[in-house]
DNA sequence: ATCAAAAAGGCATTATATTGCACATTCAAA
DNA sequence: TTTGAATGTGCAATATAATGCCTTTTTGAT
């Protein structure tokens, strides 16, 4: 799971939930610029920023042993 | 999965692999201070920093739909 | 109890993530 | 094809993550 994949997952999930970037950014309490960068695989969000977005979308981050 | 849990997971994995913080920091190419903060649940690492460490430890980050 | 190595904290500096504003581009509906 | 909404960018300012040096605390072995 790299930054591009994270961005794709977030974007797809947002679209499936039919939310606009602007609203997701508000709900997650992050800047629109930040959300855009993440969805596009640009940027390098902090864990906290990522968590805020992920939480709103009903997604979760996991850390497991690579199989 | 919050920052504290991430720190615990990393620390436990590092200890299981019998690596010192100093060596893990070198292998992952992050500062020792940064690693310490992460393991202690302090700080707020960027995705990239987290990935560097996680990669060395044979762990992986996943983003999935919360069940 | 002593000692050495590992872990952790204080502080200052540097690098960079986050943000808002204004503007540009893309897209979908009328 | 126009037009408004959604998405995305350039730039500058601010917040904060990352780092190193030095010191302190903790841990584990003898």
């Amino acid at each position: 799971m790299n930054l591009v994949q994270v961005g794709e997952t977030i974007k797809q999930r947002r679209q499936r939930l039919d939310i606009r970037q602007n609203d997701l950014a508000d709900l997650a309490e992050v800047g629109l610029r930040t959300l855009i960068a993440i969805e596009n695989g640009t940027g390098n969000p902090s864990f906290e920023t990522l968590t805020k977005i992920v939480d709103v979308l009903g997604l979760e981050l996991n850390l497991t042993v690579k199989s």
Side-chain angles (χ1 to χ4, degrees), chain A residues 16-64:
Chain A
R16 174 166 297 273
L17 297 179
D18 198 26
I19 308 174
R20 294 181 298 258
Q21 288 180 329
N22 222 341
D23 294 328
L24 174 53
D26 283 349
L27 290 171
E29 298 182 302
V30 304
L32 174 57
R33 296 297 306 275
T34 302
L35 175 61
I36 289 174
I38 293 172
E39 286 196 357
N40 291 337
T42 324
N44 179 26
S46 69
F47 187 88
E48 198 171 82
T49 295
L50 205 46
T51 297
K52 284 187 195 168
I53 295 167
V54 153
D55 283 351
V56 171
L57 293 176
L59 299 174
E60 65 182 352
L61 275 167
N62 288 315
L63 182 53
T64 60

